[in-house]
Amino acid sequence: MVVRRADVARLAGTSPAVVSYVLNGGPRTVAPATRARVLAAVESLGYRPNGVARSLRMNKTMTLGLVVPDTANPYFAELARAIEEAAFAHGYTLLIGNGAEDDERQTAYVRTFLQRQIDGLFLVPAHGTPSCLPDLERARTPWITLDRQVAGTTDIPAVLVDNRGGARTATEHLLEHGRRRIACIAGPEDVYPATDRVAGWRDAIADAGLPAAETSVLNVPFGRHPGYVAARRVLSERIVDAIFTASDEQALGALRAVTELGLRCPDDVAITSFDGIAAAAYATPALTTMSQPFGELGRVAVSRLLTRITDPEGDTGISVLPVQLTARGSCGCPDPPGGDSNDDPAGAATSEEAERADT
Amino acid sequence: MVVRRADVARLAGTSPAVVSYVLNGGPRTVAPATRARVLAAVESLGYRPNGVARSLRMNKTMTLGLVVPDTANPYFAELARAIEEAAFAHGYTLLIGNGAEDDERQTAYVRTFLQRQIDGLFLVPAHGTPSCLPDLERARTPWITLDRQVAGTTDIPAVLVDNRGGARTATEHLLEHGRRRIACIAGPEDVYPATDRVAGWRDAIADAGLPAAETSVLNVPFGRHPGYVAARRVLSERIVDAIFTASDEQALGALRAVTELGLRCPDDVAITSFDGIAAAAYATPALTTMSQPFGELGRVAVSRLLTRITDPEGDTGISVLPVQLTARGSCGCPDPPGGDSNDDPAGAATSEEAERADT
DNA sequence: TTGTATGCGTTATCAC
DNA sequence: GTGATAACGCATACAA
């Protein structure tokens, strides 16, 4: 509109094609003198290539889509930041969508993104079977699932963490502290990581030879408020001495419930949870939680998606990353001073080639 | 690539142009019979228009850019969600960038976004004078500032909240509780909302006829950890009975510091803060804070930016939205049960026409 | 009412 | 080493 490539060519006394060669460093070589003239013209005119035209021609947008169930949820916010970090390092930009735990809206975003010709998609599927599956199938756009699997499928590429093992570790840690009546505040019944985390809790309970108190499993949404409500219920109805929650957010809510009921954490009720969001380190007491490797998650997810972009059939497995017990005060361990987390959820860049294909 | 408009036209026994007319509902009318054939062909082939080609032709992308200093920070996460919500309602999609409080990176994002021909940009400028200003100037892409103003400027369209008035209210509330030695944990010295919030604190202190204890102002970054460190320092070095913090995140850190030092909040140290993020309602005690109208912020920002897209010269002022005191336990008010916040930071949709220009 | 043709700004393939 | 030219897929003005 304002200044096109042809203008640059004219000023530099050459042809538009040559301008491209200079700016893109190829595919053909250009004489140093011409090159200098082109660069000068670009500078003086303030020419900036039109990315849309380029995308149309190149058939790639250098844009990745990310659809999560709730952008404002700290866990997804940290996950998004990690993805963004890794994508940026590879020269990709992120289109972000808030599915709002609603299939219809999630599908609306996926469709819009597909239409905008994103090169690849990260999806944290809402509960149930996403109605956008057919669209994704037809579009041939590489996509990969994050944090959750699509219900009932096992052949869709995914990057997950060891939910079952982590939940088991978290529960065992409560057992080691001598707790015996451990309730489980789980996620929604039909959401993948919830079921696996419940399974891990069950594993630990069973191994300890404890009765599987089914009534001690509360299926509520992830999030502070559901955690708060569930904790109030389980604490007033049952005699428990510990709670394992499926998310830090729920744990934060539970912590609040414990205090409101005049109980003390960890003395009366110990808590361990899952995720390792930054806020967990600043609660009082600080939360003992299974920390997810956000930085690694982002790097693996981006790296795998990019692989699938160049080779749509390749890299089709499921990555399961380990989680790590971060012992703090809520389980009964000594409570370290605030801010023991490294405060850098996205992690530092790795030695991977950081290539920015876009100029 | 897979299925083009021409394919649809062929199957429907008509021309590509007609396909456009049907899909876009204009600009020309088409016979019902033809229309039906086209629709059937679209359905059976699963044709989806290429948004990139459309953008090139139409010279608009239906995409808005949002660059914030830190995506993972809960305040910006809630702000982003509000923007996303409002943009979605208008059929716009959000390209999101994490400036990481770093001018260079912020500029990199702005440039990339501009190159991708976004229709408009929301910028939460990092401290100092952004080096992307010339780019924005040349690009003629409408943009608007959120939460902060560009240092030293007053003619750039912005959507802000009443930082000074809010800070004053928060501080006065502490005074009403009988506190007299009120420290101020501020943001970085050169960031707009920080200076205004300090000014508000100063207003209240001065009006109360109290000495302006300059040493009681601590300029630290927003964020939990800085708040924690600052609180530890101010609590051990000085005798204070209250703290006003410039952000909820800092307050959360401060709360942790209070507890670690064996003090009680609000008994020994009362706290009020600023922002009204969801987490504030679940701290123990829950934070008394100046709640920002996230939903309204998003709607106003989007609405104003869209206005500027249709009329680049119009709507060039600065919006200042009011903030509201949310009294909870940390100031000494009765602590309501957890989850008193409506848990819907983005707010419900208004009666504004929700138009989705994209199909 | 419908088919044809041109241009959006770029990259890449041609001859030169 | 360089200049013209054909796509990319769409929207629309124009001729039929």
Side-chain angles (χ1 to χ4, degrees), chain A residues 1 5 20-21 28 47 50 54 57:
Chain A
M1 194 60 170
R5 210 184 40 163
S20 278
Y21 301 147
R28 247 172 34 189
Y47 166 72
N50 181 322
R54 168 178 245 225
R57 186 66 232 275

Side-chain angles (χ1 to χ4, degrees), chain B residues 5 20-21 28 47 50 54 57:
Chain B
R5 208 182 41 163
S20 278
Y21 299 147
R28 247 172 35 188
Y47 167 71
N50 181 320
R54 169 178 243 228
R57 182 69 230 280

Side-chain angles (χ1 to χ4, degrees), chain A residues 120-152:
Chain A
L121 174 77
F122 300 103
L123 178 66
V124 181
H127 56 88
T129 303
S131 55
C132 57
L133 251 33
D135 297 86
L136 285 164
E137 186 63 32
R138 260 200 320 82
R140 301 186 176 289
T141 300
W143 64 290
I144 192 170
T145 270
L146 254 42
D147 179 56
R148 312 176 179 179
Q149 281 184 288
V150 170

